């Protein structure tokens, strides 16, 4: 789609240089890539002309073929003897490997004398960075970013080569699909070389919802170190109005090159608060000035005014108001896109979950991208920000011991996200009770204390927890909470919400959060909690994802309430009924099958459900009407099959009304929900005829953004426009204009089709194609063809 040459990159640099004190130049375009190890690929004179050209973000694992388990392997992710456990079921049945990336650039002469930094959002899973053949940086835990100072190493007036090696070859270094490669962005940052802000420099806190406290991490490299440093602060409100602007001389220790400088508090009158419904974001822009009053560096970051309170009697309060965390815990991958960090795909997910009443995400079990956090700031999503799975070498990259890098990971993670109002709690790990071989051999207590101490050096405004499962140390003999639960600020139990009352009576200071909840037990694990006292819950795997397969040919987790192509399953409406009780709802779910699956000692199998009305005549069916109304009447072809009350006093069945022995007839099945006799919601499903045509729906707003994504959903419909769930025809996608196909999907976790291709079968009468737009304006045309249907043309 794009042709990138050294000249074009140099031109990009030139255009980026203007009257700025800090320049951040995107380096995502025009990388050369090769899958597999290559001798001397790090060298600047290596010939990479035969390599593929691509743009970041990129996940090289998602492009690989599926690897079926060998006959002597167990075809799922169950923990069994090593000689029969499936090697790749946890990793999405994708072969692990190594990939090399190379980018050539010539720095503009205007950058000479500047401090030059390469900023990496992350490298999956471990990686090394070379400049002109020299190792200049590396990461042993690819979920956290890092920077490389190349000021003294860059070549002027000639090409420079960045070479990056990314490695995922150890299949046991993660329990899920990680993706691989340069899955996040890369930037070149140019600043003044004498007086500048360090990495993630700002620490912005608010109190009493109107006072701003601010400190900045500053580096002064002048030969004559000054006694004071001048810093200016400008704060703008959500509407872009300047509400504060000051310059101050701040005392500076001449004996320190790096110092955190504290700015006097700023009072903002009538501050607009940040919350889930009104995510008001302010911008703080800080500027450094040298002794002559010339600006040397400038940095800006969003923040919000909000207060957080946690207590055993009320759970969680945001701005003094009780708020229940209602959300999910998933891994970081983005369905058919793999691990490639596309902000538009993240935004699509956040919009979707808000529609269904969610206000919360736990970033299990690693930091998501900075773009994810910023979008949660924008949409009012409350985040429990998690750093690790378990504190072992195996679970944190595999190349070096956890003990050798946690003290670098913690500051990078906390400093990056601490100014974001969406982050309401830090989580340092997950399910440590399942592995006795944690650091210091005390089930994680010492390791937690060390990490928390370091964390609070950089942020003391949030509570710190660890997600625990089981809640006790010994699965069979202990009745008391595990040792770690006695030290965390919040008692975060995966699944074991039933212990909240007893543990709360023994230890009245405890504050409870169901850090993972089973979708199989959805409903009871919400209504059986004391919602007035708990912090909330996060449903595990609410969106289907690659990896952690529960059996080949499924390529991943399929127990969510949304499929991997982001279409809602019937149970999504059950969740919405109690996550969004103010919105009357009824939805018909036909029970097709029952799945008995145990995972981590927890029953996770859901009833297989669908919401179409094409069955065998005379078949006796069971179904559920999900509703938050008082009663539901069911009608088949206009004939009432009765009315049933919502069992609101029964936590196990609340909002679920079951109907058995419903004899199928072609036609229309309708559910009518009433409150006090008044109709408040309806849902109907109809028998569809034969598929006659395709309908394409663009699910993203217009105009499209340069380099952004477009999601186009294809449905097969009958002559009356009703979706035909039985349609399974092959579709072929072609694009004209400045865009390309980067992924396809259809929600079928068992499909043998790859995601990075230009064709896909319909599944349940549906398919999804994802396009990436280019960087120049123009018309884009998507054509969807099939041997069974007339070609559909979608113009963008």
């Amino acid at each position: 789609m794009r042709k990138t040459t050294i000249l074009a990159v140099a031109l990009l640099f030139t255009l980026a240089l203007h009257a700025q004190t800090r320049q951040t130049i995107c380096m995502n375009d025009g990388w050369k890539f090769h899958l597999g190890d290559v001798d001397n690929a790090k060298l600047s004179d290596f010939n990479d002309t035969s390599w593929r050209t691509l743009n970041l973000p990129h996940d090289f694992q998602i492009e690989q073929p599926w690897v079926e388990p060998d006959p002597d392997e167990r075809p799922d992710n169950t923990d069994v003897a090593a000689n029969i456990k499936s090697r790749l079921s946890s990793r999405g049945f994708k072969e692990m490997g190594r990939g090399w990336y190379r980018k050539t650039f010539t720095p503009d002469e205007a950058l000479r004398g500047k401090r030059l930094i390469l900023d990496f959002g992350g490298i999956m899973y471990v990686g090394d960075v070379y400049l002109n053949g020299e190792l200049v940086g590396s990461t042993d835990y690819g979920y956290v970013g890092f920077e490389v100072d190349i000021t003294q190493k860059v070549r002027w007036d000639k090409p420079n080569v960045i070479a990056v090696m990314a490695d995922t070859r150890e299949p046991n270094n993660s329990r899920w699909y990680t993706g691989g490669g340069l899955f996040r962005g890369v930037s070149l940052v140019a600043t003044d070389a004498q007086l500048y802000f360090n990495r993630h420099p700002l620490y912005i806190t608010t109190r009493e919802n109107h006072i701003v406290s601010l400190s900045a991490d500053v580096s002064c490299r002048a030969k004559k170190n000054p006694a004071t440093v001048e810093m200016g602060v400008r704060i703008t409100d959500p509407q872009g109005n300047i509400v504060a602007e000051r310059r101050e001389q701040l005392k500076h220790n001449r004996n320190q090159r790096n110092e955190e400088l504290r700015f006097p508090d700023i009072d903002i009158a009538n501050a607009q608060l940040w919350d889930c419904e009104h995510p008001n974001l302010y911008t703080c822009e800080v500027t450094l000035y040298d002794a002559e009053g010339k600006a040397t560096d400038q940095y800006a970051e969003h923040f919000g005014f909000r207060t957080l309170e946690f207590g055993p009697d009320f759970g969680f309060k945001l701005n003094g108001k009780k708020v229940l965390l209602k959300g999910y815990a998933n891994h970081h991958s983005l369905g058919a896109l793999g691990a490639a960090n596309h902000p538009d795909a993240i935004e699509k997910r956040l919009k979707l979950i808000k529609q269904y009443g969610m206000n919360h995400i736990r970033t299990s079990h690693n930091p998501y991208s900075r773009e994810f956090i910023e979008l949660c700031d924008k949409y009012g999503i409350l985040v429990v920000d998690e750093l690790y799975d378990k504190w072992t070498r195996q679970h944190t990259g595999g190349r070096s011991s956890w003990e050798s890098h946690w003290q670098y990971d913690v500051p990078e993670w906390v400093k990056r996200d601490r100014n974001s109002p969406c982050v309401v709690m830090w989580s340092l790990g997950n399910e440590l009770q399942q592995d006795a071989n944690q650091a210091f051999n005390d089930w994680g207590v010492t390791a937690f204390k060390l990490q928390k101490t370091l964390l609070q050096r950089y942020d003391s405004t949030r509570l710190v927890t660890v997600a625990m499962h089981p809640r006790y140390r010994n699965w069979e003999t202990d009745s008391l909470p595990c040792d770690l639960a006695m030290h965390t600020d919040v008692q975060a139990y995966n699944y074991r919400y039933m212990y909240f009352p007893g543990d709360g009576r023994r230890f009245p200071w405890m504050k409870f959060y169901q850090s993972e909840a089973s979708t199989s037990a959805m409903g009871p694990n919400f209504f059986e909690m004391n919602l007035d006292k708990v912090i909330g819950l996060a449903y595990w795997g609410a969106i289907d994802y690659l990896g952690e397969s529960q059996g080949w040919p499924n390529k991943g987790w399929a127990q969510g309430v949304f499929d991997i192509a982001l279409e809602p399953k019937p149970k999504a409406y059950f969740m919405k009924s109690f996550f969004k009780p103010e919105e009357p709802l009824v939805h018909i779910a036909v029970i097709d099958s029952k799945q008995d699956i145990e995972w981590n000692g927890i029953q996770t199998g859901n009833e297989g459900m669908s919401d179409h009305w094409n069955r065998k005549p005379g078949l006796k069916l069971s179904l559920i009407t999900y509703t938050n109304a008082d009663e539901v009447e069911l009608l088949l072809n206009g004939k009432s099959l009765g009315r049933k009350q919502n069992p609101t006093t029964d936590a196990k069945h609340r909002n679920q009304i079951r109907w058995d022995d419903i004899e199928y007839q072609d036609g229309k099945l309708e559910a009518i929900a009433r409150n006090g006799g008044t109709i408040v919601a309806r849902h109907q499903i109809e028998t569809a005829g034969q598929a006659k045509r395709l309908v394409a729906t663009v699910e993203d707003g217009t105009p499209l953004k340069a380099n952004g994504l477009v999601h186009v959903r294809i449905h097969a419909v009958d002559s009356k426009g009703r979706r035909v769930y039985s349609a399974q025809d092959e579709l072929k996608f072609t694009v004209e204009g400045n865009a390309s196909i980067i992924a396809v999907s259809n929600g079928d976790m068992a499909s043998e089709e790859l995601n990075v291709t230009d064709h896909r079968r319909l599944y349940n009468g549906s398919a999804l194609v994802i396009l990436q737009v280019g960087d120049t304006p123009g018309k884009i045309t998507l054509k969807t063809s099939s041997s069974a249907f007339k070609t559909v043309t979608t113009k963008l």
Side-chain angles (χ1 to χ4, degrees), residues 52 187 387 467 606 667:
R52 171 183 165 197
S187 298
L387 178 57
N606 279 307

Side-chain angles (χ1 to χ4, degrees), residues 139-141 144-145 367 387-388 396 402 405-414 454:
T139 179
D140 285 345
Y141 186 58
V144 296
L387 178 57
Y388 295 121
T396 57
W402 172 82
H405 60 81
W406 71 265
Q407 61 269 39
Y408 304 104
D409 299 338
V410 170
E412 169 66 20
W413 166 60
V414 173
L454 180 58

Side-chain angles (χ1 to χ4, degrees), residues 459-504:
D459 178 50
S460 59
T461 67
R462 298 171 177 89
L463 300 188
V464 186
T465 192
V466 169
M468 289 167 262
H469 180 68
R471 93 187 210 298
Y472 40 82
R473 188 199 306 175
N474 189 302
W475 288 65
E476 298 178 351
T477 62
D478 288 0
S479 61
L480 293 176
C482 64
D483 296 345
L484 195 56
M486 310 304 289
H487 296 276
T488 55
D489 297 332
V490 168
Q491 285 58 53
Y493 295 174
N494 290 353
Y495 311 108
R496 302 298 185 182
Y497 68 94
M498 63 287 297
Y499 291 105
F500 290 171
D503 288 358

Side-chain angles (χ1 to χ4, degrees), residues 489-681:
D489 297 332
V490 168
Q491 285 58 53
Y493 295 174
N494 290 353
Y495 311 108
R496 302 298 185 182
Y497 68 94
M498 63 287 297
Y499 291 105
F500 290 171
D503 288 358
R505 286 191 295 270
R506 291 187 184 98
F507 309 102
W509 48 268
M510 285 188 166
K511 300 171 283 292
F512 296 109
Y513 162 57
Q514 194 178 168
S515 37
E516 288 178 22
S518 169
T519 57
S520 177
M522 179 175 282
N525 55 20
F526 180 81
F527 291 117
E528 289 179 354
M529 295 192 299
N530 185 336
L531 300 178
D532 293 329
K533 289 189 174 184
V534 299
I535 293 168
L537 85 172
Y539 279 110
W540 178 257
I543 302 176
D544 291 353
Y545 59 85
L546 290 172
E548 295 190 298
S549 169
Q550 295 177 321
W552 177 269
N554 282 330
K555 311 307 187 299
W557 178 268
Q559 304 302 316
V561 299
F562 301 99
D563 68 27
I564 198 167
L566 299 185
E567 288 206 286
K569 304 177 188 179
K571 209 162 191 177
Y573 296 91
F574 177 40
M575 181 187 72
K576 184 178 181 179
S577 75
F578 56 85
F579 273 7
K580 213 171 185 180
E582 72 280 0
E583 184 177 308
L585 175 149
V586 65
H587 195 89
I588 300 168
V590 182
I591 299 173
D592 297 318
S593 62
K594 174 65 177 177
Q595 299 171 307
D596 291 316
I597 300 174
E598 186 174 295
W599 183 269
N600 239 357
I602 300 297
Q603 176 64 34
T604 62
N606 279 307
E607 288 181 313
M609 293 180 173
S610 58
D611 47 11
H612 65 82
W613 198 239
N614 281 72
R615 315 283 169 168
K616 292 182 179 179
L619 184 68
K620 294 293 184 70
L621 300 170
S622 293
L623 58 90
I624 293 175
T625 49
Y626 294 129
T627 188
N628 49 21
D630 295 340
E631 69 171 22
V632 171
E633 182 180 12
L634 194 66
L635 296 92
L636 179 56
N637 294 327
K639 180 181 178 181
S640 177
L641 301 181
R643 295 188 182 190
K644 291 189 178 184
Q645 298 294 309
N646 185 352
T648 55
T649 59
D650 180 357
K652 292 190 181 301
H653 301 98
R654 183 173 176 175
N655 288 16
Q656 307 176 74
I657 300 175
R658 187 180 178 100
W659 309 75
D660 291 313
D661 296 323
I662 304 298
E663 184 173 343
Y664 175 77
Q665 299 174 18
D666 287 352
K668 179 174 69 175
L669 184 69
E670 182 178 20
I672 301 176
R674 294 180 174 90
N675 281 335
T678 301
I679 296 176
V680 293

